[in-house]
């Protein structure tokens, strides 16, 4: 059974940094597409970034501030978030997709950006 567990969220001041982690169990990360999404109160879930093999893409709202990476040996995906803004506050979700296995989500981790 595939399980994704996010961690690393918390309260940070504007301009600060956080590093989110997504630990995957039940299947290897190899040949997966991994992504981060976020959902703020009253808003729809939005895509933030994804990584497939060595290829990464970012939403315009986080480009230049966030970095997604993966360590297949540790079966973990990361999201380094720098220069955080109040509008980045949301629950952040990890997503894993394998063509032969389907789509999986973590339970989310809360990020609060406030002074």
């Amino acid at each position: 059974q595939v399980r994704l567990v996010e961690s690393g969220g918390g309260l940070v001041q504007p301009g600060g940094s956080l590093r989110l982690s997504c630990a995957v169990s039940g299947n290897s990360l190899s040949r997966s597409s991994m992504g981060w999404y976020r959902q703020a109160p009253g808003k729809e879930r939005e895509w933030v970034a994804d990584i497939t093999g060595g290829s990464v893409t970012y939403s315009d709202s986080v480009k230049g501030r966030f970095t997604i990476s993966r360590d297949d040996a540790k079966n973990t995906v990361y999201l380094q978030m720098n220069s955080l803004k109040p509008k980045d506050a949301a629950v952040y979700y990890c997503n894993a997709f394998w063509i032969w296995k389907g789509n999986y989500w973590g339970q989310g981790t809360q990020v609060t950006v406030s002074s």
Side-chain angles (χ1 to χ4, degrees), residues 31-103:
R31 293 184 288 168
S32 69
S33 177
M34 299 297 300
W36 286 96
Y37 291 72
R38 66 188 182 187
Q39 187 167 17
K43 295 189 177 182
E44 293 188 354
R45 189 173 298 188
E46 65 169 346
W47 167 72
V48 173
D50 61 53
I51 182 166
T52 303
S55 177
V56 300
T57 52
Y58 300 94
S59 68
D60 287 343
S61 63
V62 307
K63 198 174 296 182
R65 300 187 297 121
F66 291 10
T67 303
I68 187 171
S69 62
R70 61 194 290 166
D71 185 336
D72 287 1
K74 294 183 178 180
N75 245 31
T76 301
V77 177
Y78 305 96
L79 185 68
Q80 178 66 45
M81 305 186 296
N82 298 329
S83 302
L84 282 161
K85 306 175 181 180
K87 66 179 181 179
D88 294 316
V91 177
Y92 282 71
Y93 296 92
C94 179
N95 174 268
F97 174 73
W98 293 269
I99 292 176
W100 65 91
K101 201 169 181 69
N103 207 30

